Amino acid sequence: MTDTSYDRAPGDQSVPLDEEESGPSSILIYSIGLVLSLGLTATSFWAANTNLLWGPGVPLGLVVLAVAQMGIHLVFFLHITTGPDNTNNVLALAFGTLIVTVVVSGSLVIMTNLNDNLMPPAGMQMRH
Amino acid sequence: MSLTATIGDIPRGIPASEAGPAPKRIVVAYGFWIFLLSDVVMFSAFFSAYAVLVHATAGGPTGAQLFNQVSVAIETACLLASSYTCGLMSIAITRHHRLGTYLGAAATFALGLAFLAIELNEFAGMIARDAGPQRSSFLSAFFTLVGCHGLHVTAGLVWLIVMMAQVATRGYAAVVQRRLQCFSLFWHFLDIIWVWLFTVVYLMGVRP
């Protein structure tokens, strides 16, 4: 019974003491995550302020950068993996993503539609 | 075949479905992960409210007039760095390294506190300029969304102090380690929320 494997959950650092040698590599994982996040954040701030890019496309680009950075955080900081002990976490994450997408995109679509179709008198924007 | 296998030591080659109950730290992390996802759903509602109301300024100041990108960049750097030091703290906890744990916690706490100080300073400046939450729906949504994240950071700082007291009094007991694991999940999760905040509120908000 010496040949054992250990489950890992998101953020799980409690490696048994006989696997101590995995220490330096986990510092490396956090450092890679930090560098990638810093790069993506800097790109976001640059993209929001530059005149080099086509203006109307910038918000979409910012969303893509945010999704990428979220992925970096999930993998390098929260340690979401594809391992068998992570299946439940990934499924829950997928469900959460579904709910968030429905809530956000549904609200935006419905409210934009209402604003367009209710046709307020001229000069009266949606002001509360 | 071994009869001495204990819970938590799953022999290789056995499918996860036949390996018996998962170790407690995995179950605890899963439960906390579910809580975090429910928190994400709550934030998504606030994000939707903000996105819907962002142009409803009622003749008041807009985001482009209020937001200061330099302080937002500093806040982002603080939170990202504190996420990193929180990761270093988790590594020290794995090794039962007390000094490393305290140093990592102190750095995480200081950076989180710096973030909060800058954010509160920004809020105070806006309220002093008659741009408080009662000025327009845009500002109500803004203060709700950003303030809710700030409250989470505050709760995280209190939690961190409590955890350090537990490390000091109870050492690296299994239950303390599991709580610290949940804390680091919470702290990294707050950074993910902040990524969306600075993208949606600040960077998109300052564009004409």
Side-chain angles (χ1 to χ4, degrees):
Chain A
M1 211 27 233
T2 54
D3 192 23
T4 53
S5 67
Y6 299 100
D7 277 359
R8 295 180 75 79
D12 185 9
Q13 290 296 316
S14 51
V15 186
L17 289 173
D18 56 331
E19 289 192 353
E20 192 69 20
E21 71 272 16
S22 69
S25 69
S26 53
I27 291 184
L28 185 66
I29 286 173
Y30 281 112
S31 301
I32 293 172
L34 178 72
V35 169
L36 289 175
S37 296
L38 281 175
L40 286 169
T41 306
T43 313
S44 288
F45 275 84
W46 172 80
N49 291 293
T50 184
N51 291 320
L52 284 173
L53 301 173
W54 182 59
V58 168
L60 189 63
L62 289 175
V63 168
V64 171
L65 285 167
V67 170
Q69 193 167 346
M70 188 171 69
I72 298 289
H73 281 254
L74 285 175
V75 170
F76 289 95
F77 291 161
L78 290 156
H79 309 297
I80 294 287
T81 66
T82 52
D85 36 284
N86 249 305
T87 318
N88 286 331
N89 298 294
V90 173
L91 272 177
L93 176 66
F95 182 66
T97 312
L98 171 73
I99 299 295
V100 168
T101 313
V102 167
V103 168
V104 173
S105 63
S107 305
L108 284 176
V109 166
I110 290 172
M111 292 311 290
T112 312
N113 226 342
L114 281 177
N115 275 347
D116 288 350
N117 290 334
L118 286 182
M119 282 193 296
M124 215 181 101
Q125 295 295 314
M126 191 181 77
R127 284 179 184 166
H128 306 286
Chain B
M1 181 174 164
S2 167
L3 296 175
T4 59
T6 53
I7 293 172
D9 294 346
I10 297 166
R12 266 185 223 287
I14 293 184
S17 56
E18 297 167 18
K24 190 158 184 180
R25 64 199 159 86
I26 293 198
V27 178
V28 166
Y30 178 57
F32 197 74
W33 185 238
I34 299 272
F35 159 72
L36 288 181
L37 287 169
S38 74
D39 228 18
V40 165
V41 170
M42 183 195 71
F43 268 106
S44 80
F46 286 144
F47 269 106
S48 308
Y50 177 83
V52 164
L53 295 171
V54 67
H55 297 299
T57 54
T62 62
Q65 295 162 343
L66 289 171
F67 301 150
N68 175 5
Q69 283 206 54
V70 177
S71 66
V72 174
I74 298 172
E75 282 176 89
T76 307
C78 282
L79 214 54
L80 191 56
S82 85
S83 220
Y84 181 67
T85 56
C86 179
L88 297 184
M89 181 182 78
S90 324
I91 296 171
I93 291 164
T94 312
R95 297 173 174 179
H96 294 199
H97 192 294
R98 241 172 225 264
L99 182 66
T101 307
Y102 289 139
L103 280 179
T108 307
F109 187 87
L111 288 163
L113 200 64
F115 168 86
L116 260 189
I118 299 170
E119 184 164 83
L120 286 178
N121 188 37
E122 182 197 3
F123 282 4
M126 286 172 72
I127 291 169
R129 289 171 60 187
D130 191 27
Q134 70 275 45
R135 179 63 187 83
S136 62
S137 337
F138 155 64
L139 284 166
S140 303
F142 168 82
F143 276 97
T144 310
L145 176 58
V146 183
C148 188
H149 177 267
L151 277 180
H152 276 76
V153 174
T154 315
L157 291 180
V158 174
W159 189 2
L160 184 58
I161 295 175
V162 172
M163 285 324 299
M164 284 308 110
Q166 293 196 356
V167 170
T169 55
R170 305 176 61 177
Y172 293 100
V175 63
V176 174
Q177 289 206 44
R178 283 199 297 272
R179 289 171 187 165
L180 283 164
Q181 181 190 345
C182 288
F183 169 78
S184 78
L185 280 175
F186 183 70
W187 201 251
H188 295 313
F189 151 80
L190 285 185
D191 209 15
I192 293 185
I193 298 288
W194 180 255
V195 168
W196 284 102
L197 268 177
F198 80 70
T199 302
V200 171
V201 175
Y202 291 103
L203 292 186
M204 290 184 185
V206 295
R207 296 191 57 78

